[in-house]
Amino acid sequence: MLDFLARIEAGVAFAVKAAAMIVMVIVAVFTLGSASDRYIYDTAFNAYDQIAQLALVWLTFLGIVLAFRARTNIRVDLVDGMLPVRLLAARDIVSDVAAIAIFGVIQWKVWRLVEVGAGQVIMGTPFSSDATFLALAVSSAAAIVILGIRLVLRLARWGAPQVDAGTGPEDQAC
């Protein structure tokens, strides 16, 4: 069962990574398209910047999920060297629960923004402002799944013998 959960978490993380790479390509293409259109071609298409900005918003929120998964988000680690391993594990559990709670509140509140943003068209594009808020909704949902599964796996291994760093299911999934 735990192996199945680890595979689900790895699959969600892979989907988020793939989406982030696609969005990164979109940012690059539309940024280069904007520059080439401005200085070389001079076409009538004027939404390069808006689409690149929208993709950058998506990239930011998807990157947050990947940072939380890899535990590379910004944090203060002043006491890490002084605390025993069990206390560090407890700290990680508490921080995962807090992050899930915060992402849950975001998930609860963001749908009203998506609804309101649906009526606000982004000039020159086929998109409306709901696409911006949808980035937050999708990334917070992915974060809840990834952090929730990681929490379950961590709690299931709480009493188990320690495994060398870099060999646990969450480390193998990347």
Side-chain angles (χ1 to χ4, degrees):
M1 177 65 177
L2 295 179
D3 191 39
F4 177 69
L5 284 176
R7 278 189 257 131
I8 289 174
E9 189 269 344
V12 172
F14 178 79
V16 171
K17 283 180 188 178
M21 286 188 286
I22 290 168
V23 171
M24 201 178 300
V25 168
I26 291 171
V27 169
V29 165
F30 279 93
T31 301
L32 290 172
S34 173
S36 64
D37 184 49
R38 186 175 300 127
Y39 299 114
I40 299 171
Y41 302 114
D42 197 28
T43 65
F45 186 70
N46 62 356
Y48 289 108
D49 293 334
Q50 290 89 337
I51 293 174
Q53 288 172 0
L54 179 61
L56 201 53
V57 168
W58 274 86
L59 184 62
T60 300
F61 289 125
L62 293 173
I64 289 170
V65 174
L66 295 173
F68 265 98
R69 180 176 187 264
R71 290 206 174 275
T72 56
N73 50 309
I74 298 173
R75 61 187 178 154
V76 177
D77 56 0
L78 297 173
V79 296
D80 284 4
M82 296 181 276
L83 295 177
V85 175
R86 297 280 276 182
L87 202 50
L88 287 173
R91 181 219 45 202
D92 290 344
I93 289 171
V94 169
S95 67
D96 282 351
V97 169
I100 290 169
I102 290 168
F103 283 122
V105 170
I106 290 170
Q107 193 63 221
W108 175 41
K109 294 290 190 178
V110 75
W111 292 104
R112 178 71 179 126
L113 295 173
V114 171
E115 183 181 318
V116 169
Q120 301 170 351
V121 176
I122 299 174
M123 218 163 82
T125 71
F127 302 109
S128 57
S129 291
D130 63 341
T132 304
F133 300 121
L134 198 57
L136 185 55
V138 169
S139 63
S140 64
I144 289 170
V145 169
I146 288 173
L147 293 173
I149 291 174
R150 180 169 72 187
L151 184 63
V152 168
L153 293 173
R154 186 177 302 280
L155 290 173
R157 289 191 311 254
W158 184 260
Q162 294 294 323
V163 179
D164 291 340
T167 60
E170 67 259 12
D171 296 322
Q172 294 173 357
C174 287

